[in-house]
């Protein structure tokens, strides 16, 4: 179950508004990841695509999911690897790193559409 939550957390593909350009996508992905790790769920939920807002019906639902996932994964440890790729007309930010309770690396990924 922990692995499943890690996979869902890592594959939360959201169409978020972001300025174009790889550097802007990198900065936006970092911002969303910081909001996730720092518990700024109101701001993050507002940026989720409608499909993700249906999955997490409120910032509270998103917070509950993230709290359970982070409790299972633990604390991020060491540096994370980041990259941005253009896939199917959208920019995808990926951050891969280790957590103290996870047996393998975990990927957090955000998909940012032009809108």
């Amino acid at each position: 179950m922990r692995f499943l939550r890690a996979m869902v957390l890592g594959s939360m593909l959201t169409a978020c508004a972001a300025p174009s350009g790889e550097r802007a996508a990198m900065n936006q992905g970092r911002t969303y990841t910081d909001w996730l790790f720092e518990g700024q769920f109101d701001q993050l939920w507002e940026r989720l695509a409608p499909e993700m807002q249906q999955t997490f019906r409120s910032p509270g639902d998103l917070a509950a999911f993230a709290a359970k996932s982070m409790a299972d994964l633990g604390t991020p440890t060491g540096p994370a690897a980041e990259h941005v790729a253009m896939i199917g007309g959208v920019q995808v930010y990926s951050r891969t790193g280790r957590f103290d309770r996870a047996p393998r690396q975990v990927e957090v990924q955000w998909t940012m559409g032009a809108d």
Side-chain angles (χ1 to χ4, degrees):
M1 190 60 140
R2 288 172 64 184
F3 180 71
L4 176 60
R5 273 193 289 278
M7 289 299 297
V8 170
L9 180 63
S11 64
M12 284 176 47
L13 300 177
T14 59
C16 302
S20 62
E22 187 173 324
R23 182 174 302 189
M26 180 72 73
N27 289 336
Q28 200 67 44
R30 286 175 179 160
T31 296
Y32 295 150
T33 304
D34 289 346
W35 289 352
L36 178 68
F37 289 170
E38 294 169 2
Q40 296 178 28
F41 300 112
D42 289 331
Q43 291 171 276
L44 185 56
W45 191 86
E46 289 176 11
R47 303 304 300 254
L48 295 179
E51 298 83 8
M52 291 306 295
Q53 287 180 344
Q54 288 177 352
T55 300
F56 301 105
R57 297 254 179 215
S58 69
D61 286 352
L62 178 59
F65 172 80
K68 176 64 175 144
S69 297
M70 295 306 291
D72 288 345
L73 294 172
T75 305
T77 60
E82 300 173 291
H83 71 274
V84 173
M86 182 65 85
I87 301 174
V90 296
Q91 292 178 313
V92 179
Y93 165 87
S94 298
R95 179 178 179 161
T96 306
R98 295 214 172 268
F99 289 74
D100 63 356
R101 289 190 213 134
R104 61 187 68 81
Q105 290 189 340
V106 175
E107 182 177 32
V108 175
Q109 191 175 77
W110 303 101
T111 300
M112 295 165 276
D115 61 350

